[in-house]
Amino acid sequence: MLQMHGITKVYRTSDIQTTALNNINLEVNRGEFIAIMGPSGCGKSTLLNILGMLDNPTKGDYMFNNENISGYSESRLCDIRKQNIGFIFQSFNLIDELSVYQNIELALLYHNIPSKDRKKRVEAVMDRVGIAHRAKHMPSQLSGGQQQRVAVARAVVGDQPLILADEPTGNLDSAHGQEVMEMLQRLNDEGTTIIMVTHSQSHADYAKRTVNLFDGSIVTQSRRIEQEVAEQKTGAM
């Protein structure tokens, strides 16, 4: 699905140069669930932003669906992003003045989808994440876990094949955090590719592969065998 070769990101000011990412080589196949871990300031969010085409590398090649997107214009990247990537953020990023239904529908307004089809999609995805009974509620009327369910619904309503999640459980208590992780796992089981930044080892254990960063470089990668994944799912039931 995507490959990164020699991705480096350097931030420069008049007198300081900071290397956020250093020669990152990463390949992600369709259907994977990957957790990115590492200490604060190691480059996790920078890597996720480049994966999501929200930032550009200083050097290196980024292949997305067999297409080298390095050097593409912002408008071209925006088109690719809209068609392929859904985002989930730690802070939910819901619009307070819009209802649950409207927050989710908003993600479809950029795709020129007819109103009737939007309604079908929004209703289907609300059922999918268990939030349909809150369709008319405002974000302020929801718990943190419910708000993150809305954010997940917004990320997948457009049927994008890739979800990028930046600390999706960071603002949740343990019970609601587990609910969100189980929901992400179900989405992955249904075929959605997920790349998630997390500080939580227990939440990283939901992933099939863990990538560890330190000082902007990938230092280790580890895969979970299918039996371990099956046991983790059984234990969560």
Side-chain angles (χ1 to χ4, degrees):
M1 185 178 202
L2 62 87
Q3 300 88 33
M4 288 183 155
H5 304 289
I7 292 293
T8 296
K9 179 66 177 180
V10 178
Y11 295 100
R12 295 184 176 91
T13 64
S14 58
D15 54 357
I16 298 176
Q17 176 173 300
T18 302
T19 301
L21 295 176
N22 182 26
N23 194 34
I24 296 291
N25 296 298
L26 179 67
E27 181 172 347
V28 178
N29 298 316
R30 288 190 181 276
E32 282 202 273
F33 188 163
I34 295 176
I36 300 175
M37 299 192 73
S40 297
C42 71
K44 300 187 299 299
S45 292
T46 300
L47 177 58
L48 205 69
N49 285 340
I50 293 176
L51 284 165
M53 306 174 203
L54 300 174
D55 198 359
N56 296 311
T58 304
K59 65 178 181 179
D61 293 315
Y62 181 9
M63 304 291 295
F64 191 91
N65 289 336
N66 298 315
E67 185 176 1
N68 191 341
I69 64 171
S70 303
Y72 274 13
S73 67
E74 176 53 35
S75 61
R76 182 77 179 276
L77 292 175
C78 183
D79 288 339
I80 297 173
R81 188 167 57 238
K82 286 191 299 184
Q83 295 299 320
N84 292 279
I85 304 174
F87 295 88
I88 303 172
F89 303 97
Q90 177 178 344
S91 57
F92 315 139
N93 284 7
L94 303 180
I95 298 176
D96 293 336
E97 294 77 17
L98 300 181
S99 68
V100 165
Y101 182 99
Q102 292 168 329
N103 265 282
I104 299 170
E105 184 187 32
L106 186 64
L108 297 176
L109 297 180
Y110 305 103
H111 294 271
N112 298 318
I113 298 172
S115 175
K116 185 177 180 180
D117 292 338
R118 291 202 306 269
K119 185 174 186 294
K120 288 181 180 179
R121 286 200 190 192
V122 174
E123 290 177 346
V125 79
M126 286 193 301
D127 283 334
R128 190 177 176 189
V129 303
I131 202 71
H133 63 297
R134 298 287 190 177
K136 296 181 179 180
H137 285 67
M138 309 302 281
S140 61
Q141 297 174 298
L142 306 178
S143 69
Q146 290 170 334
Q147 289 187 56
Q148 194 60 296
R149 284 177 178 270
V150 178
V152 171
R154 182 184 56 194
V156 303
V157 69
D159 290 329
Q160 288 92 337
L162 172 64
I163 287 179
L164 301 181
D166 193 359
E167 296 281 0
T169 62
N171 285 335
L172 304 177
D173 59 33
S174 59
H176 287 122
Q178 183 174 335
E179 287 180 7
V180 169
M181 291 309 306
E182 290 171 356
M183 183 165 41
L184 291 177
Q185 190 174 67
R186 287 194 297 273
L187 291 171
N188 179 245
D189 290 341
E190 294 166 3
T192 303
T193 305
I194 297 174
I195 305 175
M196 172 185 70
V197 164
T198 182
H199 280 100
S200 169
Q201 183 59 59
S202 63
H203 292 163
D205 286 343
Y206 281 83
K208 297 173 182 175
R209 174 158 54 117
T210 299
V211 175
N212 288 286
L213 295 184
F214 187 76
D215 285 349
S217 299
I218 294 177
V219 290
T220 61
Q221 294 192 54
S222 59
R223 292 183 181 274
R224 300 182 64 203
I225 62 174
E226 293 302 317
Q227 181 62 33
E228 289 178 329
V229 175
E231 289 175 354
Q232 194 279 331
K233 290 179 182 178
T234 301
M237 294 179 180

